[in-house]
Amino acid sequence: MKKWPLYTGLAIVAVIVAANSFFISREGEYRVVTRFGEFTRIHQSPGLHPKIPFVEKVAALPKYQKLYDSAPTPILTKDKKPILVDNYTVWRIEDPEKFLRTLKTVAYGESRIDAAVYNVVRRKLSETDYAEIISENTARGNLNEEVAKEVATAMADSNFGIRIVDVRIKRTDLPEENKQSVYNRMISDRQSIAASYLSEGDEESRKITAKADRDAQELKAQAESDAKKIVATGEQEAARIYNEAYGKDPEFYNMYRTLESYLTSFQGEPVIMLPIDSPYAKLLVGSK
């Protein structure tokens, strides 16, 4: 009976030793084994793995990509406008041994990433005007690419075992105390541009109207000139036809002209004194 406590103690020790002789590696993580603080091996595949109890220690590091969201940071642009910059970084541990030797923990690794991203973003934005930063079609796309490339190079040069996948600027907002003044200035600028467009439109309208009026006058003058030419040609042709016709019978022409003069002379029933033997009166009295 006196040996039962001894056996119980040995059993407990055996359980503790057995529990510390194995560890589980899960999907999506590295298991790094160290012995007295020195790196010995890495397990990347999931499963149950042995270790020396109380001598070897196991640290877990994420294998998959991680997203680090930086806190909004105030930065001055090239044209001295204060803005709040919010960005995120996609990264992963590429070399767990280097990472564990240099950074130890994920939290410290993210703090170093945050510092590198801040330095690059601050330098880039301080070289860029605010209007270019907020533009959707100009600087934003290139800026993200340049920042991601420089941060990736900085992390690689530091030998932290980290690979930067991407860095993106989510938003670039003005501080609340500056927004209204900037908005008012933007409204004023847009109104000035609109007024300029309206002035240019009015001037162009006047030019088009003046040209149309001038073209209409020219067309009308040309039409009148052509009409006069046509009338003159017609009258000339009519005179020619009359001359040909009257030249064939001069006596008939004289009679016709005399009858026409009667129509003019006797309008209004005037009293005309003519000798009876006057040539002009012969047709009226029917004498030969």
Side-chain angles (χ1 to χ4, degrees):
M1 294 295 293
K2 292 181 179 181
K3 293 183 179 182
W4 279 108
L6 177 61
Y7 292 151
T8 302
L10 291 175
I12 293 173
V13 170
V15 170
I16 293 174
V17 171
N20 282 274
S21 297
F22 297 93
F23 65 92
I24 298 173
S25 179
R26 294 179 175 82
E27 189 72 33
E29 68 177 8
Y30 299 107
R31 283 288 185 165
V32 183
V33 182
T34 59
R35 185 181 303 165
F36 302 115
E38 295 294 327
F39 172 83
T40 59
R41 62 190 182 276
I42 298 174
H43 293 278
Q44 299 190 30
S45 58
L48 186 66
H49 307 283
K51 72 180 184 70
I52 300 174
F54 310 111
V55 176
E56 293 182 333
K57 294 184 178 180
V58 181
L61 296 174
K63 186 190 295 186
Y64 49 81
Q65 292 184 355
K66 291 183 67 63
L67 177 68
Y68 177 70
D69 196 355
S70 300
T73 306
I75 291 176
L76 279 178
T77 63
K78 183 179 178 181
D79 48 353
K80 305 305 178 184
K81 286 186 173 61
I83 58 174
L84 291 175
V85 180
D86 190 4
N87 52 265
Y88 66 87
T89 306
V90 181
W91 67 284
R92 64 183 297 269
I93 298 174
E94 194 168 50
D95 189 328
E97 180 182 356
K98 286 183 180 179
F99 183 87
L100 199 62
R101 289 182 187 279
T102 55
L103 300 175
K104 307 296 184 184
T105 65
V106 170
Y108 186 58
E110 288 182 336
S111 70
R112 297 302 298 267
I113 291 172
D114 184 62
V117 171
Y118 172 74
N119 290 334
V120 174
V121 170
R122 181 184 61 181
R123 179 167 52 80
K124 287 293 184 183
L125 294 186
S126 66
E127 298 171 353
T128 309
D129 289 333
Y130 180 73
E132 296 181 14
I133 295 172
I134 63 175
S135 173
E136 295 182 356
N137 300 320
T138 55
R140 178 66 67 84
N142 294 335
L143 186 61
N144 284 327
E145 294 174 5
E146 291 173 6
V147 169
K149 183 177 179 180
E150 291 196 21
V151 174
T153 301
M155 289 290 101
D157 293 342
S158 299
N159 287 320
F160 290 146
I162 288 175
R163 183 167 74 87
I164 301 298
V165 179
D166 195 14
V167 179
R168 291 283 156 179
I169 297 175
K170 294 193 296 184
R171 59 192 178 100
T172 49
D173 291 340
L174 289 166
E176 291 298 327
E177 60 271 17
N178 298 99
K179 281 185 178 180
Q180 192 58 48
S181 62
V182 172
Y183 289 158
N184 291 338
R185 186 164 61 252
M186 290 174 66
I187 291 171
S188 176
D189 291 343
R190 295 302 180 273
Q191 289 175 342
S192 176
I193 293 172
S196 176
Y197 285 156
L198 289 173
S199 176
E200 292 176 1
D202 290 341
E203 183 179 356
E204 189 66 21
S205 174
R206 287 193 295 271
K207 289 180 180 179
I208 293 172
T209 302
K211 185 178 183 303
D213 292 341
R214 186 170 58 253
D215 291 345
Q217 291 175 358
E218 291 176 356
L219 287 172
K220 184 178 179 181
Q222 184 65 39
E224 290 176 351
S225 176
D226 292 343
K228 289 178 180 179
K229 290 179 181 179
I230 293 171
V231 170
T233 302
E235 290 177 348
Q236 183 180 0
E237 183 66 17
R240 185 186 64 79
I241 294 172
Y242 283 140
N243 289 333
E244 288 181 358
Y246 297 150
K248 293 180 180 180
D249 191 345
E251 291 182 1
F252 173 78
Y253 174 70
N254 290 331
M255 183 189 71
Y256 178 76
R257 293 291 294 174
T258 302
L259 291 175
E260 281 189 336
S261 71
Y262 290 162
L263 292 175
T264 303
S265 300
F266 294 105
Q267 286 183 359
E269 300 181 358
V271 176
I272 300 175
M273 302 291 291
L274 294 173
I276 195 65
D277 58 348
S278 170
Y280 190 70
K282 288 181 179 181
L283 290 176
L284 290 175
V285 299
S287 62
K288 295 182 179 179

